[in-house]
Amino acid sequence: MLTALDLHRIGSEAVSHNVLNSGVDFLRAALDRWDGNASFVKSSDTFDRHRNLRQTDLRKVEKFHDQILERKGPRSTFHSTYERPFNKTLARKKKYHKKDEVVLGELGNSIQGQKQYYRLCRGEDLRVIDVTSRLYCRYVTNGSPLYKIGPLRMEVQSLDPYVVTLEEVVTPSEAADLVDASARYLMRSSTIRANGGSAESFMRTSSTAWMLDSDLPVLSELTHRIEQIAGVNAQQNRGAEMYQVVNYGVGGHYTVHHDYIDKGLINNRIATFLVYLKDVPQGGRTVFPWVGTGVRPKRGSALLWYNMNRVGMPDSRLQHGACPVLLGDKWVINKWIFYGGQLHTLPCGPEKKGDTIRQPQA
Ligand SMILES: O=C(O)CCC(=O)C(=O)O
Ligand SMILES: [Fe+2]
């Protein structure tokens, strides 16, 4: 069990990273535990001195919390507070009593995106029943002989934009092999910067291993399955990128981002095919703030969505994020499909609004 001192340390650490909501919670829990455990010395001077010091600490942090909330709002990449201040007078202000609005189907501002990301990470679905009631599950072959006898189970997560999950794309033993084989190549993940370079960042805390189709038989097999079920050319270099295996530890996450690259068409990522290689006991969802939904990692299942339409226009509604892992660890493998390689598989359609790709089919 955590002692009062442990709780105090965690609280102070949170405060020093501007995580003020959890900071206050831990400092308060430290105080409660101190009261509970130290009853035998309750009347001593030392006890009173310590308690007063901690009480003062807590009050100061609450005040700091309120100041930051007033000035910067409840959340940014660099801080978090509760939605309302602790101070009762401040809490009466009108701005703290607005209803939580939700922006869906279009790109809102990044603060709104982050708010929705956090709600989705907690397992909420932000859509109304009119939208969710149209979703369905079905068996799919996508017309491929590979799946004729054993079709895959597909669940439509969103119709527009089209996001689906496909179950048992890899078997448990294939998933375990992939984890084992890539573990030794893991390196700290980076993100692509505006100038085209890459950098490690607090926005993406995970480790990455790049794998070639030829590294393991199961990888070339997986490429074949992706091609059959999604109706794309997923051949490395011409049709798609190398595989990227990603491992997140506790707290590992990837904040809201898009997978398409800001410049260029040919090697841009028209689709993302992501396979979960393990169940995650708690946390680690993949969420789409502007779609208003998310997916819980399930070993062997794939998540497929289209970052661009047939004519190469990026679809910013498909921004997404990987929620922090709370318990266990998370393993995924990504295959990014290139726009340029799909001339024969996803031919251009007429350029019109809402012309999104809907594959796979029955
Ligand atoms: O891990 C996830 O759930 C999403 C990963 C992701 O978005 C990425 O690697 O680009
Ligand atoms: Fe991504």
Side-chain angles (χ1 to χ4, degrees):
M1 189 166 84
L2 297 175
T3 65
L5 196 61
D6 295 333
L7 292 165
H8 191 83
R9 282 204 183 118
I10 295 171
S12 307
E13 188 65 16
V15 172
S16 73
H17 285 88
N18 284 332
V19 184
L20 300 169
N21 42 357
S22 310
V24 168
D25 283 352
F26 274 97
L27 293 180
R28 188 170 293 148
L31 209 57
D32 289 348
R33 184 136 309 158
W34 182 258
D35 285 347
N37 288 350
S39 50
F40 59 99
V41 285
K42 226 167 199 157
S43 53
S44 78
D45 281 355
T46 329
F47 174 84
D48 288 344
R49 235 187 0 260
H50 272 274
R51 198 187 187 292
N52 287 342
L53 269 176
R54 279 160 198 216
Q55 179 92 40
T56 316
D57 259 9
L58 177 62
R59 297 284 166 261
K60 272 191 201 149
V61 174
E62 283 177 353
K63 204 164 162 190
F64 183 53
H65 168 280
D66 291 358
Q67 281 170 358
I68 296 290
L69 172 61
E70 275 279 288
R71 286 209 330 257
K72 299 182 193 277
R75 236 181 265 284
S76 75
T77 312
F78 305 104
H79 83 284
S80 62
T81 68
Y82 281 113
E83 300 280 333
R84 296 215 179 131
F86 291 101
N87 181 290
K88 292 207 171 70
T89 319
L90 278 180
R92 277 200 284 274
K93 282 190 174 179
K94 232 191 203 149
K95 68 174 176 181
Y96 296 117
H97 294 272
K98 274 200 274 183
K99 264 194 92 181
D100 257 351
E101 62 172 275
V102 174
V103 178
L104 296 180
E106 58 179 308
L107 192 65
N109 67 43
S110 62
I111 293 181
Q112 184 67 25
Q114 215 162 33
K115 249 193 202 169
Q116 294 182 189
Y117 164 80
Y118 281 111
R119 285 182 64 180
L120 295 167
C121 285
R122 282 185 226 118
E124 282 185 60
D125 195 298
L126 307 178
R127 299 170 296 182
V128 294
I129 189 95
D130 273 4
V131 174
T132 51
S133 60
R134 294 200 173 94
L135 304 174
Y136 58 88
C137 303
R138 71 178 308 165
Y139 283 102
V140 288
T141 65
N142 208 35
S144 159
L146 181 66
Y147 290 109
K148 185 103 183 151
I149 297 177
L152 286 178
R153 280 197 302 275
M154 178 178 90
E155 186 172 340
V156 177
Q157 305 290 340
S158 163
L159 277 163
D160 187 22
Y162 201 58
V163 181
V164 299
T165 46
L166 297 150
E167 292 187 11
E168 294 175 21
V169 170
V170 301
T171 65
S173 76
E174 286 172 336
D177 287 352
L178 282 167
V179 166
D180 282 351
S182 48
R184 78 187 96 139
Y185 300 116
L186 289 176
M187 285 175 36
R188 176 72 166 80
S189 307
S190 53
T191 48
I192 299 174
R193 297 194 330 180
N195 65 9
S198 65
E200 287 178 12
S201 126
F202 172 67
M203 321 277 261
R204 188 185 194 198
T205 51
S206 57
S207 302
T208 304
W210 291 96
M211 305 286 281
L212 300 170
D213 282 27
S214 56
D215 281 342
L216 283 177
V218 57
L219 285 174
S220 46
E221 176 62 30
L222 178 57
T223 300
H224 182 56
R225 291 178 201 165
I226 294 172
E227 293 191 316
Q228 296 299 305
I229 203 66
V232 292
N233 168 6
Q235 294 301 315
Q236 199 174 282
N237 300 332
R238 294 288 286 270
E241 267 172 72
M242 289 192 286
Y243 279 104
Q244 190 187 55
V245 177
V246 189
N247 171 229
Y248 305 79
V250 169
H253 66 278
Y254 193 172
T255 51
V256 182
H257 65 280
H258 53 72
D259 282 357
Y260 59 79
I261 297 150
D262 287 318
K263 285 186 201 135
L265 191 58
I266 302 300
N267 288 352
N268 214 332
R269 296 159 166 178
I270 189 171
T272 301
F273 197 98
L274 178 157
V275 184
Y276 300 104
L277 300 177
K278 271 193 185 180
D279 293 335
V280 181
Q282 203 65 248
R285 282 171 176 264
T286 309
V287 300
F288 300 84
W290 312 116
V291 180
T293 196
V295 167
R296 181 176 183 180
K298 181 170 173 195
R299 183 180 60 186
S301 283
L303 177 58
L304 167 66
W305 72 86
Y306 295 89
N307 302 296
M308 302 162 82
N309 68 9
R310 287 181 195 277
V311 290
M313 288 285 292
D315 190 341
S316 49
R317 295 174 301 172
L318 283 156
Q319 283 196 346
H320 55 279
C323 300
V325 171
L326 301 179
L327 201 63
D329 69 346
K330 174 177 170 187
W331 287 83
V332 301
I333 183 164
N334 279 310
K335 189 71 162 170
W336 285 297
I337 311 296
F338 286 148
Y339 178 84
Q342 310 310 321
L343 283 175
H344 303 294
T345 51
L346 294 171
C348 301
E351 182 172 3
K352 56 180 193 290
K353 206 168 178 289
D355 177 31
T356 56
I357 301 165
R358 292 194 182 194
Q359 286 261 36
Q361 280 149 16

